[in-house]
Amino acid sequence: MEIITADFFQRALAGGLLIGLTAPLIGIFLVLRRLSMIGDTLAHVTIAGVALGFLTGVYPIGMGIIFAVLASFAIEKLRKAYKGYAELSIAVIMAGGVALASLFFTLGMGYNNDVVGYLFGSIYTLDMTDLYVVGAVTVLVAVTVFIFFKELFLLSFEEDAAAVSGLPVKLLNMIITVMTALVISTAIKIVGALLVSALLTIPAACSLIIARSFRQSVVFSVIIAEIAVVAGLVIAGVWNLAPGATIVLLLIAMLILTLVGKRGFTT
C-alpha cells in the first residue's frame, strides 16, 4: 500500500489512465484501416526526436512530438504518391526514424541511458509537466474523435464511399495521422517506444471480438486498456516489475482469454 499511495505512483497512474483512454480511441480506427504498423513507425521517429532533445537541451517529449507530427505529414504525402502501396510510406518513414535515432545516439553517447527509458518506458519518472502535456493531448484527441466520430467511422470502413459522399477525406486522413502522432509521442515515456503499438492495437483486437457494434468496440477497447493499465501498474509496483512490459503482457493475456471465451461460446 505504501507504493500505491506514493506521489510518483499517483502521477504514473494518472498518466497511464490518460493514455489508456487516447491510445485505444485512436487505435480502433487504425486497426480498421489496416494501419496498425504506423504506431511502430511513429514511435521510432519520436525516439529520434527525444534523442535530439537530449542533445540540444530541449524538452525531450516536446521534440518527440514535433518529429512525430512532421513524420505523420510525410506519411500522408507518401501514401498519396504510392496509392497502391500504402504500406510503403510506413516502411520508408520507419527507416528514416531508426537512422536518425541511431545518428543521435552516436552523437550523444552520454544521453543514451536517458533515451533507453523512452524505449522501454519509465512511467514512474513522470513529472507534472509530462502530465500536463499528456492531459492536453488527451483532451484534444477526445474532442476531435467526438466531433468527427461519424466521419471517421465511414472513413475507416470505406474510404472511397466517404469521398463519394463529399467528406473531406484528405483532411480526415491527416487528422487521424496527426492524432496518432500526438498519442504515440506522449505515450512512449509511459509504455516505451517498443511497446506503445500494443496499447493501440490489442485493446481494439479484443473489442472487435466481443462487440456487437462499432460504438461498443470503441467503448470496450477503452475499458480493456484502462483495466490493463491499472492492474499492470499495481502488479508492477508491488512485485517490482517493469510497468510497461507488465501492462502489455496483461493485454496479451486478455486477448487470449477473449479468443478462448469466444471460441467456447461459438462451440
Side-chain angles (χ1 to χ4, degrees):
M1 292 300 297
E2 292 181 1
I3 190 172
I4 294 177
T5 56
D7 290 339
F8 75 88
F9 188 87
Q10 296 297 320
R11 289 193 296 271
L13 183 61
L17 288 173
L18 291 173
I19 290 300
L21 170 64
T22 56
L25 199 58
I26 289 296
I28 189 71
F29 295 106
L30 297 179
V31 170
L32 291 175
R33 300 184 67 209
R34 295 172 176 83
L35 291 174
S36 301
M37 290 302 297
I38 197 174
D40 287 320
T41 298
L42 293 176
H44 283 81
V45 175
T46 301
I47 285 297
V50 167
L52 182 60
F54 279 115
L55 276 174
T56 58
V58 179
Y59 179 51
I61 291 183
M63 186 64 74
I65 290 175
I66 293 173
F67 267 56
V69 171
L70 291 176
S72 69
F73 283 103
I75 287 175
E76 283 303 309
K77 286 291 184 181
L78 288 174
R79 285 184 67 233
K80 294 298 180 294
Y82 298 95
K83 292 183 179 180
Y85 307 94
E87 72 282 356
L88 184 61
S89 63
I90 296 176
V92 170
I93 300 301
M94 177 181 285
V98 172
L100 283 175
S102 177
L103 177 63
F104 295 146
F105 284 164
T106 304
L107 294 175
M109 298 298 291
Y111 300 111
N112 284 356
N113 289 334
D114 296 319
V115 177
V116 166
Y118 288 85
L119 286 172
F120 297 99
S122 54
I123 191 170
Y124 292 143
T125 64
L126 289 179
D127 55 30
M128 292 308 299
T129 301
D130 296 330
L131 286 183
Y132 291 144
V133 173
V134 175
V137 170
T138 300
V139 172
L140 179 60
V141 170
V143 170
T144 301
V145 171
F146 179 78
I147 293 174
F148 296 103
F149 187 82
K150 292 182 179 179
E151 291 83 355
L152 295 177
F153 167 75
L154 181 57
L155 183 71
S156 299
F157 281 96
E158 186 54 63
E159 185 170 336
D160 292 335
V164 171
S165 64
L167 292 180
V169 171
K170 186 176 181 180
L171 175 62
L172 292 173
N173 279 325
M174 187 58 65
I175 288 174
I176 291 179
T177 309
V178 171
M179 292 298 103
T180 303
L182 292 175
V183 171
I184 289 174
S185 56
T186 53
I188 61 170
K189 194 172 183 180
I190 294 175
V191 292
L194 300 179
L195 301 173
V196 68
S197 62
L199 205 55
L200 288 168
T201 57
I202 297 179
C206 294
S207 67
L208 290 174
I209 295 174
I210 59 178
R212 297 184 177 181
S213 67
F214 180 71
R215 288 185 181 273
Q216 278 191 4
S217 65
V218 173
V219 173
F220 287 163
S221 64
V222 171
I223 293 174
I224 290 168
E226 298 288 26
I227 291 174
V229 166
V230 174
L233 284 177
V234 172
I235 293 172
V238 173
W239 280 284
N240 194 26
L241 303 173
T246 305
I247 292 170
V248 172
L249 289 175
L250 280 176
L251 284 172
I252 293 174
M254 294 170 73
L255 176 60
I256 294 173
L257 290 175
T258 304
L259 289 169
V260 172
K262 181 69 174 181
R263 181 176 298 178
F265 282 117
T266 54
T267 56

